[in-house]
Amino acid sequence: MRQDVLSGQAAFQPGHTPDIANALADASGLRIEIDRRRGRGAGMNPTGRFEPLQREAFDDGWQILEELPEFRTEVQVEKPRTIISRNDSPDIPFDRSINPYRGCEHGCIYCFARPTHSYMGLSPGLDFEAKLFAKPDAAKVLERELAKPGYKARVIAIGTNTDPYQPIEREWRIMRQILEVLAKAEHPVVIVTKSALITRDIDILAPMAQKGLLKVGISVTTLDKKLARSMEPRASTPSKRLEAIKTLTDAGIPTAVMMAPVIPALNDHEIERVLEAGKAAGATEASYVLLRLPLEVSPLFREWLLRNYPHRYQHVMSLVRSMRDGKDYDAEFGKRMKGAGPYAWQIGRRFEMTTKRLGLVRRGIQLRDDLFIAPGGAGVQLSLL
């Protein structure tokens, strides 16, 4: 059994302190020294689950570990043949999405998309935050897909897997190019982000919103700057996200405040405060998602918890498992987003009561899909009723 699993179990053993569990994690050879991962969320860089060999660092007495370089952001170009991803999940209100990037420099430790880096032969840990893939041809590919005969416009979600406004967007501007294509085609889109950089594109977003083609969700997981810095190290600060909500709503753009994820015994006490702050900033909608720990996300999150909040480890993970049928995660449709059991029910009721009190709706305006104009002058495609 791997040492990262042992350390997590040790934290639950009678008489075992978090210090003992942390010592086991340190001895595992999986933790990366602080000087090499400064400003990152993950503390480990475990080998992807599809790789034939598992690699662990150890000191052989030659001080080689001290010579290893820090994890700097590297960006590779990816040239996809298609850019619109399809899904048939009953848990989410859209059937298609776009991801301008693969991997995310924000480094949110809880990100459920981390395991996707394993498909690239990379680690869901630090590699996910530092070894990124950009799709500079995304707008051209999108235009080609929208122009296909028989294409029917439905809401496209952007920001569901990795953040389209992560720091590298300042240089690559792929998201802006995608928006230019969608705006020209009058195609409906929903954007989810943790970055105030979205306000850069108000000149495109506001006219789309006026036509009923766009909504935005800003994720505000905590108002605690210290927790946010540790948990989401390169995302915008909570105050900047609230400012972004105000800027967007002042421009006439329907904006939701999203608390994603809610983490028991860590940020769940802030549910009411986050929603109140979002409402004060101008948000008209609200939503939440319970912490999800699929595949490699579980050991990465548990290691982070031991490292940053060791004395809360048992309480947090006990509550997580109480809402996931005794497991770290339950992927069953209908449960994976909201959990089950008394504690999950309590979170749901608190959210429901607060949104009702504040006048925030769970799902507001429906975006139009009857204005779509296929690229290349193919004419207007009316929605089928």
Side-chain angles (χ1 to χ4, degrees):
M1 185 181 293
R2 286 175 51 169
Q3 288 291 336
D4 60 310
V5 177
L6 285 172
S7 65
Q9 292 179 342
F12 279 97
Q13 298 302 314
H16 276 209
T17 67
D19 292 336
I20 294 175
N22 259 318
L24 281 171
D26 284 333
S28 69
L30 292 173
R31 270 187 174 169
I32 305 297
E33 293 296 324
I34 180 63
D35 288 341
R36 295 190 60 216
R37 56 173 170 81
R38 195 176 302 279
R40 303 291 180 179
M44 304 189 298
N45 204 40
T47 307
R49 65 187 181 280
F50 300 119
E51 302 307 298
L53 300 175
Q54 296 289 325
R55 298 174 179 84
E56 297 180 4
F58 71 96
D59 188 353
D60 60 2
W62 292 100
Q63 286 78 50
I64 295 176
L65 294 181
E66 298 176 4
E67 301 172 4
L68 293 174
E70 65 179 288
F71 282 80
R72 294 184 179 275
T73 300
E74 302 173 6
V75 183
Q76 298 182 50
V77 169
E78 181 178 344
K79 293 185 175 294
R81 287 179 290 183
T82 61
I83 197 65
I84 300 177
S85 300
R86 309 276 179 161
N87 79 84
D88 57 1
S89 170
D91 287 331
I92 49 181
F94 56 86
D95 67 355
R96 60 197 73 181
S97 61
I98 294 175
N99 292 293
Y101 303 98
R102 191 189 297 269
C104 188
E105 197 176 3
H106 281 165
C108 303
I109 189 58
Y110 50 73
C111 182
F112 67 87
R114 283 181 176 273
T116 61
H117 241 45
S118 294
Y119 293 106
M120 308 302 290
L122 296 171
S123 173
L126 288 163
D127 283 350
F128 179 80
E129 308 171 36
K131 295 184 178 180
L132 311 177
F133 296 83
K135 305 172 184 178
D137 293 337
K140 293 180 181 178
V141 177
L142 174 61
E143 193 169 34
R144 186 168 65 240
E145 291 187 52
L146 297 184
K148 287 183 178 179
Y151 177 84
K152 292 180 173 58
R154 297 289 183 271
V155 174
I156 288 178
I158 308 181
T160 58
N161 213 35
T162 59
D163 201 309
Y165 286 104
Q166 59 180 286
I168 60 172
E169 166 65 14
R170 293 183 184 277
E171 175 185 353
W172 289 82
R173 300 173 71 85
I174 298 173
M175 178 59 176
R176 184 173 176 86
Q177 295 170 25
I178 289 172
L179 286 175
E180 289 171 344
V181 171
L182 293 173
K184 186 177 179 180
E186 300 197 1
H187 196 295
V189 60
V190 171
I191 303 170
V192 178
T193 183
K194 288 183 172 70
S195 175
L197 179 59
I198 189 174
T199 58
R200 177 200 66 185
D201 294 335
I202 280 182
D203 61 315
I204 301 176
L205 303 176
M208 291 186 74
Q210 290 173 6
K211 296 178 181 179
L213 296 171
L214 178 130
K215 293 197 298 185
V216 171
I218 302 291
S219 178
V220 183
T221 47
T222 178
L223 301 180
D224 183 336
K225 291 180 67 175
K226 181 179 178 182
L227 174 58
R229 180 65 181 271
S230 171
M231 189 166 62
E232 309 155 337
R234 299 198 178 192
S236 296
T237 63
S239 60
K240 287 294 184 182
R241 295 182 221 179
L242 291 171
E243 287 177 17
I245 292 176
K246 185 176 188 327
T247 302
L248 292 169
T249 56
D250 285 350
I253 299 169
T255 307
V257 56
M258 305 172 63
M259 195 165 180
V262 173
I263 306 174
L266 198 62
N267 73 345
D268 62 333
H269 65 284
E270 296 187 76
I271 291 175
E272 291 79 7
R273 291 178 58 218
V274 167
L275 294 177
E276 288 166 356
K279 173 66 176 181
T284 54
E285 299 182 29
S287 64
Y288 81 96
V289 176
L290 191 66
L291 175 69
R292 298 171 59 188
L293 298 176
L295 302 169
E296 294 98 332
V297 183
S298 177
L300 288 167
F301 178 81
R302 288 189 281 109
E303 187 279 333
W304 173 86
L305 198 55
L306 276 173
R307 181 163 36 90
N308 291 277
Y309 298 92
H311 297 288
R312 295 194 195 183
Y313 181 93
Q314 291 186 356
H315 191 33
V316 172
M317 293 309 301
S318 291
L319 288 174
V320 167
R321 292 168 183 171
S322 76
M323 295 184 285
R324 299 296 191 187
D325 196 26
K327 301 172 289 188
D328 286 2
Y329 183 57
D330 183 353
E332 182 181 343
F333 289 141
K335 293 183 179 180
R336 61 178 184 156
M337 300 294 190
K338 306 299 182 186
Y343 204 86
W345 180 88
Q346 181 189 77
I347 288 174
R349 297 297 75 71
R350 286 173 56 196
F351 183 85
E352 183 180 297
M353 292 171 63
T354 306
T355 53
K356 184 176 181 180
R357 171 170 60 85
L358 296 174
L360 291 167
V361 296
R362 300 291 289 274
R363 287 183 184 170
I365 63 168
Q366 298 297 309
L367 299 182
R368 297 185 63 174
D369 59 12
D370 60 333
L371 303 178
F372 176 65
I373 303 172
V380 178
Q381 172 184 299
L382 299 177
S383 63
L384 301 178
L385 301 178

